[in-house]
């Protein structure tokens, strides 16, 4: 069992800018649910800043935060992606992406200057992005007789579950995210009911 009951993420996009010796660093933050969304967001930033010289980014994904990636996009190794990722980690954020578009101003900033600039841009965008605390959840598929719909819905509400999917037929089913710290209690109640099948979704 994971000791953590909550995780931190963002639900809105934000933009912030930082200038250093003529170079401009424009940071965009995005909520990220799957790796494939990176391409979409990167495309959007490139379209918005077609004359930028670099598009550096970092993201962390998953409730354990185990999936992550960072890119220096042509900047000296370790000067862009890593400092951006460091800002995500300092706020314990997951399911979050930051892309920083850089317009080169003609003056070389050096390794420490670049690290500071990308770190500052990422920090500034997170300062204007509302950070939300969410409950860690486990996902279950619950199948039941339609006569039990009201009882099941009442339990879903009572246990503060997230509704992921719902089907109303002769045999109804819902996919729900159950808060980790309340999962055992709710699962026991569901399994005590007749004509209810509960299956974990991986």
């Amino acid at each position: 069992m994971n000791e953590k009951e909550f995780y931190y993420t963002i639900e809105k996009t934000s933009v912030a800018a930082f200038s250093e010796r003529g170079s401009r660093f424009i940071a965009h933050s995005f909520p990220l649910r799957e790796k494939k969304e990176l391409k979409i967001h990167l495309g959007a930033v490139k379209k918005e800043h077609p004359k930028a010289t670099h598009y550096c980014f970092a993201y962390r994904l998953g409730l354990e935060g185990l999936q992550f990636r960072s890119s220096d996009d042509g900047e000296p190794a370790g000067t862009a992606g890593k400092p951006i990722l460091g800002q995500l980690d300092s706020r314990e954020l997951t399911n979050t992406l930051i892309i920083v578009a850089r317009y080169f101003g003609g003056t070389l900033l050096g390794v420490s200057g670049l690290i500071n600039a990308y770190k500052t841009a990422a920090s500034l965008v997170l300062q204007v992005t509302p950070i939300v605390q969410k409950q860690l959840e486990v996902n279950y598929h619950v199948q039941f007789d339609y006569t039990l719909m009201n009882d099941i819905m009442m339990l879903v509400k009572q246990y503060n579950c997230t509704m992921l999917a719902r089907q109303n037929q002769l045999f109804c089913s819902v996919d729900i995210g159950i808060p980790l710290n309340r999962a055992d209690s709710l699962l026991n109640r569901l399994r005590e009911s007749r004509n209810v099948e509960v299956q974990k979704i991986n």
Side-chain angles (χ1 to χ4, degrees), residues 53-71:
T53 45
H54 302 277
Y55 307 92
C56 306
F57 68 83
Y59 69 71
R60 197 171 279 284
L61 262 181
L63 299 186
E64 301 287 335
L66 299 177
Q67 297 178 63
F68 64 93
R69 191 177 154 201
S70 63
S71 165

Side-chain angles (χ1 to χ4, degrees), residues 145-193:
D145 191 284
Y146 76 97
T147 56
L148 295 170
M149 176 60 89
N150 284 347
D151 296 346
I152 298 289
M153 286 301 126
M154 214 177 281
L155 284 172
V156 165
K157 197 173 177 184
Q158 191 183 328
Y159 280 83
N160 201 17
C161 300
T162 304
M163 181 67 70
L164 305 170
R166 181 173 165 175
Q167 275 192 322
N168 295 349
Q169 287 160 350
L170 191 57
F171 283 99
C172 304
S173 71
V174 290
D175 291 349
I176 53 173
I178 309 172
L180 202 56
N181 57 344
R182 310 187 76 184
D184 292 344
S185 169
L186 176 55
L187 292 171
N188 288 338
R189 288 189 67 173
L190 289 170
R191 285 172 179 143
E192 281 165 10
S193 313

